[in-house]
Amino acid sequence: MAAKKSKKKAPAASEFRSEALAQALEKQDMAAVALALRNGNTVVPLIRPGARDNPLDGGEVWTYRDPSTGDVALLLFSDAKNKPANLPPGVGIYSPAWLRSFLTAHRDVITTVFLDIAGPHPMQAPPAELLRALDA
């Protein structure tokens, strides 16, 4: 009798976390935030999660456009649990290389980046500052 193959279960959204980023935000230490972003993953809200059977499909990142000014913000989280419920339910966890590439590609559109916007320790930075930190 053949043994059943066990399928590896994908991590639950609640398991997506960057401990280094959470600690840096708690200290409100921009140098530590830069180090955490440079060396660890970041939780990003998604409009549409990627297809499970296609590793090249990372999903579609959600950004916020202020209706009164047109300014666009990218929201990043240290933990999926910190994402407000009123945002799309999907999240992805992305590498420093992805963040650098995304910020570079959209540097003329994104006006600010919020980290853990709803707390517990929110921070805000311009994309250019984060790019400098990622390239340091």
Side-chain angles (χ1 to χ4, degrees), residues 52-103:
R52 285 184 174 214
D53 59 346
N54 182 357
L56 300 176
D57 183 1
E60 187 176 346
V61 173
W62 181 87
T63 55
Y64 173 77
R65 181 179 300 274
D66 185 319
S68 60
T69 65
D71 290 346
V72 175
L74 174 64
L75 279 63
L76 304 176
F77 297 94
S78 63
D79 190 320
K81 294 175 185 175
N82 296 340
K83 183 184 71 63
N86 63 335
L87 297 184
V91 293
I93 190 155
Y94 291 98
S95 70
W98 174 89
L99 182 57
R100 180 181 300 109
S101 174
F102 189 84
L103 288 174

Side-chain angles (χ1 to χ4, degrees), residues 13-26 32-33 35-44 76-82 92-94 96 115-116:
S14 62
E15 296 174 15
F16 288 10
R17 176 171 174 77
S18 168
E19 184 62 33
L21 183 56
Q23 290 177 5
L25 290 171
E26 183 176 356
V33 168
L35 187 63
L37 291 175
R38 224 180 8 255
N39 295 303
N41 294 326
T42 307
V43 178
V44 181
L76 304 176
F77 297 94
S78 63
D79 190 320
K81 294 175 185 175
N82 296 340
I93 190 155
Y94 291 98
L115 301 147
D116 283 354

Side-chain angles (χ1 to χ4, degrees), residues 99-110 131:
L99 182 57
R100 180 181 300 109
S101 174
F102 189 84
L103 288 174
T104 300
H106 302 287
R107 74 172 81 201
D108 295 332
V109 178
I110 297 172
L131 280 169

